[in-house]
């Protein structure tokens, strides 16, 4: 529970103690330790622990987290391979979202769009993150009308500051200053509560 309440330092120490106390620690302990390292941007340590987890028994979650760790290090080819392996094992929205982000960084915009759209379908309207990513993809491609649509899709699922920031930025690009100001103010207001 420490990991899920953002008590990351305590979680790392607890997982390390578990590994030290158990002769053959289960795969899940290495996975969770790697996951916490990834959440705290300690990507090299995350990769080390996630590889240990997969050595005991391969798991789609560990490959997905490996994808995010490699992404954090800007090793997009390794990230792509990890996300693809995760998807091969189980089609999960977060792995598709990661793959979409990687494809975007590699300049493969059509593949990025396809992966993030797949992510949005699989996400089943849980938190709107995939739509927000799709909005940023369209924003970076200067397709501001499509970006606005995707940011609004995200907001309809979950009132989040990142989607409002994207909406405001897109509206600014289309010279819709009044609505842009409202969206950006809402982003700032929500940011205080996140």
């Amino acid at each position: 529970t420490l990991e899920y309440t953002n008590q990351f330092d305590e979680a790392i120490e607890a997982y390390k103690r578990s590994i030290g106390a158990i002769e053959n620690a289960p795969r899940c302990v290495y996975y969770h330790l790697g996951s916490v390292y990834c959440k705290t941007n300690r990507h090299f340590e995350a990769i080390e622990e996630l590889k240990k987890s997969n050595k005991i028994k391969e798991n789609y979650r560990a490959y997905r987290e490996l994808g995010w760790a490699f992404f954090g290090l800007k090793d997009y080819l390794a990230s792509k391979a990890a996300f693809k392996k995760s998807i091969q094992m189980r089609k999960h929205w977060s792995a598709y979202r990661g793959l979409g982000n990687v494809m975007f960084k590699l300049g493969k915009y059509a593949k990025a769009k396809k992966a993030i759209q797949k992510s949005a379908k699989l996400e089943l309207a849980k938190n709107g993150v995939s739509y927000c990513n799709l909005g940023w993809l369209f924003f970076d491609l200067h397709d501001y009308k499509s970006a606005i649509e995707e940011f609004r899709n995200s907001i309809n699922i979950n009132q989040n500051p990142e989607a409002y920031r994207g909406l405001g930025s897109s509206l600014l690009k289309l010279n819709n200053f009044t609505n842009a100001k409202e969206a950006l103010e809402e982003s700032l207001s929500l940011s205080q509560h996140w």
Side-chain angles (χ1 to χ4, degrees), residues 47-97:
I47 290 165
E48 181 180 338
E49 299 305 325
L50 293 164
K51 284 183 175 180
K52 288 177 188 174
S53 175
N54 275 335
K55 187 174 181 181
I56 295 168
K57 183 179 179 190
E58 289 187 324
N59 182 277
Y60 78 94
R61 287 187 205 133
Y63 280 109
R64 185 183 68 219
E65 290 296 322
L66 273 171
W68 288 114
F70 284 122
F71 188 85
L73 294 174
K74 296 182 168 94
D75 185 346
Y76 300 126
L77 295 179
S79 180
K80 176 182 164 185
F83 284 127
K84 283 190 166 190
K85 180 72 174 177
S86 177
I87 290 166
Q88 187 179 52
M89 297 174 86
R90 181 170 178 216
K91 294 174 179 10
H92 190 272
W93 69 269
S94 181
Y96 275 105
R97 183 172 68 91

Side-chain angles (χ1 to χ4, degrees), residues 148 152 166-177 179-180 183:
I148 289 167
R152 285 187 174 145
L167 176 61
S169 299
S170 300
L171 289 166
L172 274 176
K173 292 290 186 178
L174 296 177
N175 297 321
N176 186 337
F177 301 115
N179 290 333

Side-chain angles (χ1 to χ4, degrees), residues 1-2 14 24 27 32 37 49 52 63 84 88 99 111 113 117 130 147 150-151 155 168 173 183 185:
T1 56
L2 293 170
N24 293 313
R27 169 194 59 79
H32 284 290
Y37 279 140
E49 299 305 325
K52 288 177 188 174
Y63 280 109
K84 283 190 166 190
Q88 187 179 52
L99 181 61
K111 288 182 179 183
K113 179 181 173 183
Q117 285 175 326
S130 297
E150 298 306 334
F151 288 126
I155 290 165
K173 292 290 186 178
E185 285 173 347

Side-chain angles (χ1 to χ4, degrees), residues 4-187:
Y4 301 109
T5 57
N6 295 334
Q7 298 176 55
F8 298 128
D9 291 335
E10 294 87 349
I12 288 168
E13 291 310 311
Y15 290 131
K16 284 181 173 180
R17 280 194 307 276
S18 295
I19 290 168
I22 303 169
E23 188 173 325
N24 293 313
R27 169 194 59 79
C28 64
V29 179
Y30 292 104
Y31 162 75
H32 284 290
L33 179 55
S35 179
V36 174
Y37 279 140
C38 198
K39 289 175 183 171
T40 56
N41 295 320
R42 293 168 66 176
H43 302 298
F44 290 110
E45 292 158 298
I47 290 165
E48 181 180 338
E49 299 305 325
L50 293 164
K51 284 183 175 180
K52 288 177 188 174
S53 175
N54 275 335
K55 187 174 181 181
I56 295 168
K57 183 179 179 190
E58 289 187 324
N59 182 277
Y60 78 94
R61 287 187 205 133
Y63 280 109
R64 185 183 68 219
E65 290 296 322
L66 273 171
W68 288 114
F70 284 122
F71 188 85
L73 294 174
K74 296 182 168 94
D75 185 346
Y76 300 126
L77 295 179
S79 180
K80 176 182 164 185
F83 284 127
K84 283 190 166 190
K85 180 72 174 177
S86 177
I87 290 166
Q88 187 179 52
M89 297 174 86
R90 181 170 178 216
K91 294 174 179 10
H92 190 272
W93 69 269
S94 181
Y96 275 105
R97 183 172 68 91
L99 181 61
N101 288 335
V102 167
M103 299 312 285
F104 185 83
K105 293 291 187 180
L106 294 174
K108 309 284 185 187
Y109 303 119
K111 288 182 179 183
K113 179 181 173 183
K114 184 178 177 182
I116 294 174
Q117 285 175 326
K118 179 75 172 176
S119 173
K121 284 183 183 177
L122 290 172
E123 188 183 9
L124 302 175
K126 289 182 182 170
N127 60 22
V129 171
S130 297
Y131 290 111
C132 192
N133 282 148
L134 197 52
W136 284 115
L137 182 137
F138 284 124
F139 183 88
D140 288 345
L141 294 175
H142 308 286
D143 182 353
Y144 304 115
K145 288 181 182 180
S146 295
I148 289 167
E149 180 181 342
E150 298 306 334
F151 288 126
R152 285 187 174 145
N153 285 337
S154 179
I155 290 165
N156 287 336
I157 294 166
N158 181 12
Q159 303 282 308
N160 66 84
E162 185 65 16
Y164 274 106
R165 186 173 73 83
L167 176 61
S169 299
S170 300
L171 289 166
L172 274 176
K173 292 290 186 178
L174 296 177
N175 297 321
N176 186 337
F177 301 115
T178 303
N179 290 333
K181 180 181 180 221
E182 289 174 13
L184 293 170
E185 285 173 347
E186 186 64 22
S187 175

